[in-house]
Amino acid sequence: MSNQNRRGQVAGLPEWDRCAVMGVVNVTPDSFSDGGRWFDTTAAVKHGLDMVGEGADLVDVGGESTRPGATRVDEGEELKRVIPVVKGLASEGVTVSVDTMRASVAEQALAAGAALVNDVSGGLADPAMIPVVAASGAPFVVMHWRGFLEGGNVKGVYDDVVREVVDELHARVEAVREGGVAPDRIVVDPGLGFSKNAEHDLVLLAHLDRLHGLGHPLLVAASRKRFLGRVLAGPEGSPPPARERDAATAAVSALAAQQGAWAVRVHEVRATADAVRVARAIEGARER
Ligand code: PMM
């Protein structure tokens, strides 16, 4: 199976001839790696546009931090954070993804011009999510996370992390399909760092081929995550801060692109945009 086949395409979104780059705008005061920096609407829109200038194909806008132990923001606050940013970016022609676990936020973001719904709970947090996405016809990112209600680290115990994540994602995909979302609009994501430790994340990244077996385009979101801090620190050292993990993130982007990921989700776009373009050029050379 060639990488081209693995990458796949998502109905309702533009087609890219390589792994797509999803830039992240967290409109939050407390996100793990960039909390507070883009909390203001104007700054957030400008940041999204800057990322497009640097090579992002899509921009993922979120208003709720999912860092371990974060408390949920209320619906009104999430809407206030997210909708103006979605509107501002969509009106400039940007392909916008909305990162939310709330159906109401997804619905209003889609009305404001978002093209894709990214739900880290895989449709579990809000029973209205799947019906809303199905009715809209929007593509849907189904992420694996066991502990969406109680904080990031619950139930992070696995006998075989790859098999269990694949099986649990399969069950979520079935539920999403039964709920009326078209199969060619479903993207799957292993949820790196979500009820998983550094070793789990590395094993999942080493077995993306098994995730491809689910038959849906794959989103890989490794950017600045804890496992990169662990790898960079070595056995004795202390992990570098999140914003010093961008070179490592770009390395994962190249590897994920080479393994046929549909898209990578990152905070710092430029290096990853270069990485996926180089991966594509090497893939092209292999075809010659
Ligand atoms: N990770 C975060 C937020 N949203 N969405 C998807 N699909 N996959 C992820 O792994 C994911 C996500 C947390 O990272 P951040 O707060 O540093 O952006």
Side-chain angles (χ1 to χ4, degrees):
M1 184 166 49
S2 78
N3 281 345
Q4 183 62 47
N5 288 341
R6 283 179 184 175
R7 190 179 301 123
Q9 257 135 26
V10 181
L13 293 180
E15 291 181 17
W16 298 283
D17 76 336
R18 52 165 170 73
C19 177
V21 179
M22 177 187 279
V24 180
V25 178
N26 284 320
V27 195
T28 58
D30 60 342
S31 274
F32 165 67
S33 76
D34 58 354
R37 295 194 70 202
W38 323 114
F39 195 40
D40 163 77
T41 299
T42 309
V45 172
K46 178 175 184 311
H47 182 52
L49 294 173
D50 287 347
M51 288 195 296
V52 171
E54 290 172 354
D57 302 296
L58 317 99
V59 174
D60 191 39
V61 179
E64 180 169 42
S65 170
T66 47
R67 64 186 291 166
T71 48
R72 299 214 52 190
V73 295
D74 70 38
E75 181 185 349
E77 177 63 22
E78 192 183 348
L79 286 166
K80 200 173 87 187
R81 293 177 184 182
V82 165
I83 302 305
V85 180
V86 170
K87 212 174 267 173
L89 288 171
S91 70
E92 296 286 338
V94 177
T95 303
V96 177
S97 152
V98 60
D99 185 346
T100 184
M101 294 189 277
R102 281 200 175 92
S104 57
V105 177
E107 193 165 35
Q108 292 195 39
L110 291 167
L116 170 71
V117 178
N118 171 25
D119 179 355
V120 296
S121 81
L124 284 168
D126 184 342
M129 180 63 95
I130 295 171
V132 159
V133 174
S136 73
F140 190 49
V141 177
V142 179
M143 197 193 84
H144 179 269
W145 185 15
R146 287 180 176 178
F148 70 95
L149 288 175
E150 298 146 64
N153 285 323
V154 297
K155 298 188 189 159
V157 178
Y158 303 86
D159 286 328
D160 176 340
V161 68
V162 178
R163 181 176 51 73
E164 288 169 57
V165 167
V166 167
D167 288 352
E168 289 166 30
L169 266 178
H170 178 71
R172 291 313 308 145
V173 166
E174 288 295 298
V176 168
R177 290 170 72 144
E178 275 162 25
V181 179
D184 60 0
R185 289 174 193 250
I186 298 173
V187 175
V188 293
D189 178 338
L192 300 173
F194 284 81
S195 51
K196 295 164 197 89
N197 64 26
E199 185 61 24
H200 297 141
D201 290 346
L202 290 167
V203 172
L204 285 163
L205 284 169
H207 292 91
L208 293 185
D209 54 323
R210 301 262 305 277
L211 286 144
H212 285 304
L214 288 162
H216 292 275
L218 185 60
L219 174 64
V220 173
S223 187
R224 297 180 175 173
K225 283 193 174 160
R226 224 171 23 231
F227 79 97
L228 294 175
R230 287 261 165 275
V231 170
L232 297 176
E236 307 296 332
S238 53
R243 280 212 261 155
E244 291 172 24
R245 301 175 193 168
D246 289 330
T249 298
V252 178
S253 297
L255 292 165
Q258 189 179 37
Q259 293 181 77
W262 166 74
V264 285
R265 177 185 180 278
V266 296
H267 301 87
E268 198 282 314
V269 163
R270 194 179 296 274
T272 276
D274 288 353
V276 299
R277 283 163 176 80
V278 172
R280 176 67 187 103
I282 293 171
E283 185 185 316
R286 199 178 294 126
E287 288 157 9
R288 286 204 282 274

